[in-house]
Amino acid sequence: MCPNYIILLMSARIVNMQFILMSPTGNECISANAKHCGECIQAGAKCGWFCYTFLGEALSTRCDEVESLKDRGCNDSQIQNPTGKKWIITNKRVTNRKKVTGVETNKPKPEEITQIQPQKLRLNLRSGQPQSFDLKFKRAEDYPIDLYYLMDLSYSMKDDLENVKNLGTSLMLEMKKITSDFHIGFGSFVEKTVMPYISTTPSKLLNPCTGDQNCTSPFSYKNVLSLTSDGNMFNSLVGKQQISGNLDSPEGGFDAIMQVAVCGKEIGWRNVTRLLVFSTDAGFHFAGDGKLGGIVLPNDGKCHLEDNVYTMSHYYDYPSIAHLVQKLSDNNIQTIFAVTEEFQPVYQELKNLIPKSAVGTLSANSSNVINLIIDAYNSLSSEVILDNSKLPEGVEIEYKSQCKNGVVNDKDDGRKCSNISIGDEVNFNITVTSKGCPNEGKSETIKIKPLGFTEEVEIILNFICDCQCQNNDVVKKSEKCSLNGTFECGACRCFEGRVGRNCECSSNDMATDDMDQTCRKDNSTDICSNNGECVCGTCECKKRPNPEERYSGQFCECDNFNCDRSENKLCGGNGRCVCRECICDPMWSGRACDCSLDNSTCLATNKQICNGRGRCECGVCKCTDPKFQGPTCETCPTCPGVCAEHKLCVQCRAFGTGEKMKTCKEECSYFNLITVKDRNKLPQPNDYPYPVMHCKERDANDCWFYYTYAVNDTEREVHVVDKLDCPSGPDIIPIVAGVVAGIVLIGLALLLIWKLLMIIHDRREFAKFEKEKMNAKWDTGENPIYKSAVTTVVNPKYEGKC
């Protein structure tokens, strides 16, 4: 017992009340109403159990936050607060190995190479308390590789087969640059051997190709060569393969992938890097397509190879994509889809669904297949993605990665690191948290591994469900139990014949069943309504973290916080909660006091309740006329005229078109339809004693139709012109002739105008010339002032004779 315990208890009540008032979100430890220490520590990571009874309080109040218990006067030795731990069991260092050229004498086996550290550990988890550990990954140099080449041998791949026949030795040479331990295998597929995928006529079963082409019989999947290090054997066996054929375009590649994944012994997979190259120039069938051939049994995901041939293609449906993902992941197989450019988008979408897969574009004759494989392998191996097995219920796991060049990822991206080269080392921080005690506290094992690798980390999970005091601090015939019981973790386990919190009551005076009966409201209810403890025949109600919330009543059957709420307010903020029922304030009603009795909010502008087109419920108008809406049923945004209202029904009944064409019989049988030949035959207003509305509407094809609507007593009559008035199409020939003639006439007119302008221009220039010529005549006269230097004498008698 704490020193001066009574004084501490009185002060503790005050401190605890202050602590609760400061906690706006409540206290999960007190809310748990724990009845024993194990239940308390599972309520939250901050919860502790005080191993002494608080006098005058319910036993459940011993469970509180550790800091709150300390504030209440309890020291660490009196509080049960176990914590989780971790132990690393196997911690073999990652392998620092370099590739050796030539013959390596001490070459390690694949299982002796370590790329992930640690390998095994154990975590003791307490509810809500996370446990973290670091995981290291390093790509080992010269790590062995198995590659299985799965090829589509339908007729369209004929040219590709010729290039693949020499793939073995060529690929061996290229892969030797990456690893000294490389195995290669080959398999082929076509399609299920049933109609309608292949032709089952006897001649087509022997040779499915047309003309003089010599093809092998159709088959689903063949394992031609198991994984081997002999590249020449690959070339030899693949060189003997022949093309086959089928009827439909998609192929049965999924059947082949499933068998390659699950037939590990037949294929020869080793516990090394496993690559599957899937080569095709077509799409794929998947689960459900087998129904076309009468195959409805789902794929069982098991190996069915006999003499290296899949024998159950006619019996089991194609596998689903999810089924393939599971089997490829379980067997650590990384897939490379080598497909033609036409189907590259399809397989790109498939790649997004299959982790650790890549897509490469295959040339028309597969001549680039080696470069494609090398590039895809480098892409796959440069990314590390961690995955974990199924987690127990209530267990969560978080990843945080520290990648190359200081890149840090968390949340969903925390599982992976990219751009990893051989020899690079990356680190992951993994946090595991549990809630409660899954599987009744039994140990569980989970595994974490990088996708595409066989190595994994094994984690043993132990759950802390009980307190140490339940095994150690046990006092029989304790004074705290009136010497009539065993004190265990602060609770009394009474001897036979004694009952009560402190075993203070004798069952001889009152049978236990009778005492419990006095704490039940009736035979069908729990003791103290499960909201308190029965102490010697009297209910002591539990206390709530929020002091404003309380249980009450003889059997703790009442409370003031479990009434109906409106707008997240207790009793809508318009009443008070009394024994789980709302007592509403004046002018309010309803289970949650959210129904106002004030009708003033329902008055329309005409002073009518809801405009006379609805009823007022809880201060809100409920419009009875569907055409009207708004707070007071005064708004009618969609009220149509008579013509628009009946347009669709007239259109569907008279012409079989329009939006109500499919529901015409159900929605448009409310009037009698009468057809007439032309508009002159439609009823006129003076023809009938009742009003007639003439309507003109247009359909989606810009055709007009005419009808009248009238109500004759109780019957509705619609007269409609039986022919649509559609705009006639243009006459093409006159239009074309007119356009051509117009162009010619415009051209001639322009030419004449140009010619006229040129004539006018020439005449003006000629007139200008003549004018200038007349002005220049004075130049032909003699200047009377001018005297020439030469004097000419004329003999008047000279007659020009010698």
Side-chain angles (χ1 to χ4, degrees):
M1 186 73 67
C2 299
N4 302 322
Y5 184 69
I6 301 298
I7 298 175
L8 286 173
L9 263 174
M10 294 178 67
S11 61
R13 288 176 180 269
I14 299 173
V15 174
N16 188 44
M17 187 65 69
Q18 292 174 345
F19 176 78
I20 292 173
L21 288 172
M22 291 187 296
S23 178
T25 58
N27 188 319
E28 62 179 352
C29 307
I30 295 178
S31 300
N33 293 320
K35 294 181 175 59
H36 57 82
C37 186
E39 192 174 297
C40 176
I41 63 174
Q42 295 177 40
K46 297 181 180 180
C47 298
W49 179 268
F50 180 53
C51 289
Y52 291 89
T53 304
F54 294 136
L55 300 178
E57 294 186 4
L59 296 179
S60 59
T61 58
R62 287 175 296 167
C63 182
D64 202 345
E65 293 185 0
V66 174
E67 294 301 321
S68 178
L69 289 173
K70 292 180 180 179
D71 291 340
R72 296 164 71 179
C74 305
N75 56 47
D76 291 336
S77 62
Q78 299 167 329
I79 301 173
Q80 289 290 308
N81 181 32
T83 58
K85 295 181 180 180
K86 67 177 179 182
W87 292 269
I88 297 178
I89 301 173
T90 305
N91 193 29
K92 185 179 178 181
R93 291 183 178 274
V94 293
T95 303
N96 292 316
R97 177 171 180 257
K98 298 294 184 180
K99 183 179 178 182
V100 179
T101 57
V103 179
E104 187 176 354
T105 57
N106 296 323
K107 184 177 181 179
K109 298 179 180 180
E111 56 270 18
E112 295 175 347
I113 300 175
T114 302
Q115 299 182 106
I116 192 168
Q117 179 187 1
Q119 295 79 41
K120 186 175 182 179
L121 64 157
R122 181 172 69 246
L123 300 179
N124 278 11
L125 297 177
R126 178 183 167 181
S127 177
Q129 190 178 77
Q131 289 293 317
S132 300
F133 65 94
D134 292 326
L135 185 148
K136 182 188 299 182
F137 179 85
K138 183 177 182 180
R139 279 187 61 193
E141 190 170 350
D142 198 23
Y143 194 74
I145 298 174
D146 285 353
L147 186 146
Y148 191 85
Y149 196 91
L150 182 59
M151 185 174 180
D152 177 8
L153 284 191
S154 59
Y155 186 77
S156 57
M157 294 288 284
K158 181 179 179 181
D159 296 338
D160 303 75
L161 180 59
E162 295 301 321
N163 287 301
V164 175
K165 287 180 179 180
N166 297 320
L167 178 65
T169 53
S170 302
L171 189 57
M172 279 283 184
L173 293 175
E174 290 296 326
M175 294 302 289
K176 287 293 184 182
K177 300 176 182 178
I178 299 175
T179 176
S180 60
D181 188 358
F182 177 68
H183 285 190
I184 188 172
F186 184 81
S188 58
F189 68 92
V190 181
E191 187 55 275
K192 289 185 180 295
T193 54
V194 296
M195 283 288 288
Y197 312 108
I198 67 166
S199 176
T200 55
T201 59
S203 60
K204 290 297 183 181
L205 287 175
L206 294 176
N207 183 7
C209 299
T210 59
D212 57 351
Q213 299 291 334
N214 186 20
C215 298
T216 189
S217 300
F219 58 91
S220 178
Y221 163 67
K222 288 181 183 179
N223 176 32
V224 178
L225 174 65
S226 298
L227 291 163
T228 178
S229 59
D230 191 346
N232 292 324
M233 183 183 294
F234 181 96
N235 293 344
S236 176
L237 290 178
V238 175
K240 298 177 183 179
Q241 301 303 303
Q242 288 183 297
I243 291 294
S244 184
N246 62 313
L247 295 179
D248 60 343
S249 176
E251 313 294 359
F254 276 16
D255 274 343
I257 294 177
M258 177 61 75
Q259 294 303 299
V260 171
V262 300
C263 297
K265 182 178 179 181
E266 290 77 1
I267 301 299
W269 291 117
R270 301 177 294 167
N271 286 329
V272 297
T273 298
R274 299 174 176 180
L275 300 178
L276 170 61
V277 179
F278 182 83
S279 176
T280 184
D281 64 347
F284 48 82
H285 284 295
F286 53 90
D289 288 354
K291 293 180 180 179
L292 298 173
I295 304 172
V296 296
L297 196 64
N299 195 287
D300 64 349
K302 297 180 180 179
C303 182
H304 296 287
L305 291 184
E306 294 183 11
D307 295 329
N308 286 321
V309 177
Y310 180 39
T311 59
M312 302 298 286
S313 67
H314 65 287
Y315 189 74
Y316 289 115
D317 192 8
Y318 302 96
S320 66
I321 295 177
H323 201 180
L324 277 184
V325 170
Q326 176 192 349
K327 292 300 181 182
L328 291 171
S329 178
D330 291 346
N331 293 280
N332 303 307
I333 296 175
Q334 304 177 66
T335 310
I336 301 172
F337 295 105
V339 298
T340 54
E341 185 175 1
E342 178 185 0
F343 288 93
Q344 199 269 349
V346 175
Y347 283 90
Q348 188 66 41
E349 292 296 325
L350 181 61
K351 175 250 181 188
N352 295 334
L353 301 174
I354 300 179
K356 292 295 284 185
S357 62
V359 177
T361 302
L362 200 64
S363 63
N365 58 2
S366 298
S367 58
N368 69 329
V369 66
I370 293 180
N371 292 333
L372 186 153
I373 293 173
I374 298 298
D375 292 343
Y377 168 74
N378 291 332
S379 175
L380 289 173
S381 58
S382 66
E383 185 176 52
V384 179
I385 303 176
L386 296 185
D387 189 26
N388 54 266
S389 60
K390 184 179 180 181
L391 299 174
E393 184 179 359
V395 175
E396 298 178 352
I397 189 167
E398 294 181 0
Y399 296 85
K400 185 176 181 179
S401 59
Q402 298 177 352
C403 305
K404 191 176 179 180
N405 299 325
V407 177
V408 178
N409 299 321
D410 56 5
K411 298 181 180 180
D412 292 339
D413 293 333
R415 293 176 175 265
K416 62 183 180 180
C417 281
S418 303
N419 301 320
I420 306 301
S421 303
I422 293 176
D424 287 342
E425 183 178 295
V426 294
N427 294 279
F428 296 86
N429 182 264
I430 302 173
T431 303
V432 182
T433 310
S434 72
K435 184 64 177 177
C437 278
N439 198 17
E440 299 179 354
K442 296 180 181 179
S443 295
E444 298 278 358
T445 300
I446 62 174
K447 295 182 179 180
I448 299 176
K449 67 176 182 179
L451 291 176
F453 296 85
T454 57
E455 298 174 71
E456 61 187 14
V457 179
E458 181 181 349
I459 306 173
I460 302 172
L461 303 180
N462 296 324
F463 303 98
I464 302 175
C465 300
D466 298 316
C467 300
Q468 187 178 359
C469 64
Q470 292 178 268
N471 299 320
N472 299 334
D473 299 336
V474 177
V475 180
K476 294 184 178 180
K477 291 187 177 180
S478 172
E479 293 182 357
K480 300 172 185 176
C481 301
S482 306
L483 301 177
N484 295 315
T486 300
F487 189 78
E488 178 183 286
C489 290
C492 288
R493 186 173 66 233
C494 299
F495 298 149
E496 186 177 354
R498 305 298 297 184
V499 293
R501 178 186 298 174
N502 302 111
C503 306
E504 69 272 23
C505 299
S506 172
S507 60
N508 295 328
D509 300 332
M510 179 180 290
T512 303
D513 292 340
D514 292 339
M515 293 177 64
D516 290 346
Q517 184 61 37
T518 60
C519 293
R520 298 178 188 268
K521 190 173 183 180
D522 52 57
N523 291 334
S524 62
T525 58
D526 296 324
I527 295 175
C528 298
S529 305
N530 204 29
N531 296 321
E533 298 180 7
C534 186
V535 181
C536 293
T538 303
C539 285
E540 290 188 3
C541 299
K542 298 176 184 177
K543 294 186 180 297
R544 299 277 298 174
N546 186 347
E548 295 182 359
E549 299 177 356
R550 58 187 178 275
Y551 294 105
S552 60
Q554 180 182 354
F555 306 101
C556 302
E557 75 278 12
C558 294
D559 62 60
N560 66 342
F561 54 86
N562 270 329
C563 290
D564 291 331
R565 294 176 179 267
S566 178
E567 296 182 357
N568 204 28
K569 295 180 181 179
L570 192 66
C571 296
N574 302 311
R576 64 186 188 278
C577 182
V578 178
C579 201
R580 301 186 179 182
E581 290 187 2
C582 287
I583 306 299
C584 300
D585 295 337
M587 298 302 292
W588 292 94
S589 65
R591 293 179 57 86
C593 299
D594 55 351
C595 182
S596 174
L597 301 179
D598 185 5
N599 290 341
S600 61
T601 56
C602 296
L603 288 177
T605 54
N606 57 7
K607 304 303 181 181
Q608 288 185 324
I609 297 294
C610 299
N611 195 31
R613 299 181 181 275
R615 59 183 183 276
C616 187
E617 295 181 1
C618 300
V620 178
C621 282
K622 303 293 183 182
C623 303
T624 55
D625 190 335
K627 298 178 182 179
F628 290 85
Q629 54 184 291
T632 54
C633 301
E634 293 181 279
T635 304
C636 183
T638 59
C639 286
V642 173
C643 293
E645 183 178 359
H646 304 291
K647 169 188 174 182
L648 295 178
C649 281
V650 173
Q651 186 179 357
C652 77
R653 287 190 60 183
F655 309 105
T657 60
E659 299 177 7
K660 293 187 177 182
M661 182 173 57
K662 295 183 179 179
T663 59
C664 195
K665 291 183 179 180
E666 295 80 5
E667 299 183 16
C668 300
S669 59
Y670 59 87
F671 59 82
N672 294 329
L673 183 68
I674 304 170
T675 59
V676 297
K677 294 296 182 180
D678 53 52
R679 295 174 60 184
N680 296 328
K681 301 295 183 180
L682 291 174
Q684 300 302 317
N686 297 329
D687 295 343
Y688 296 94
Y690 44 83
V692 176
M693 175 64 72
H694 279 255
C695 300
K696 175 184 177 182
E697 297 291 340
R698 184 164 54 184
D699 62 11
N701 298 321
D702 285 337
C703 294
W704 295 93
F705 59 95
Y706 304 89
Y707 66 94
T708 61
Y709 178 84
V711 179
N712 181 10
D713 296 331
T714 58
E715 293 185 356
R716 302 180 184 185
E717 292 183 355
V718 172
H719 290 71
V720 60
V721 179
D722 59 359
K723 292 183 180 179
L724 293 170
D725 185 6
C726 298
S728 58
D731 194 347
I732 301 299
I733 295 176
I735 292 176
V736 173
V739 171
V740 172
I743 294 173
V744 172
L745 292 175
I746 292 174
L748 290 175
L750 292 175
L751 184 61
L752 292 173
I753 292 172
W754 175 80
K755 185 64 176 176
L756 179 62
L757 292 175
M758 292 301 297
I759 292 172
I760 295 173
H761 179 268
D762 291 344
R763 289 182 177 179
R764 286 180 178 177
E765 290 295 323
F766 183 76
K768 182 179 179 182
F769 171 77
E770 289 293 331
K771 183 178 180 181
E772 290 179 351
K773 183 178 178 182
M774 292 296 296
N775 292 335
K777 285 184 177 182
W778 64 271
D779 289 336
T780 58
E782 293 183 0
N783 188 349
I785 301 175
Y786 174 74
K787 296 295 183 180
S788 174
V790 179
T791 302
T792 302
V793 179
V794 179
N795 186 356
K797 298 293 183 177
Y798 178 68
E799 298 179 354
K801 299 179 179 179
C802 295

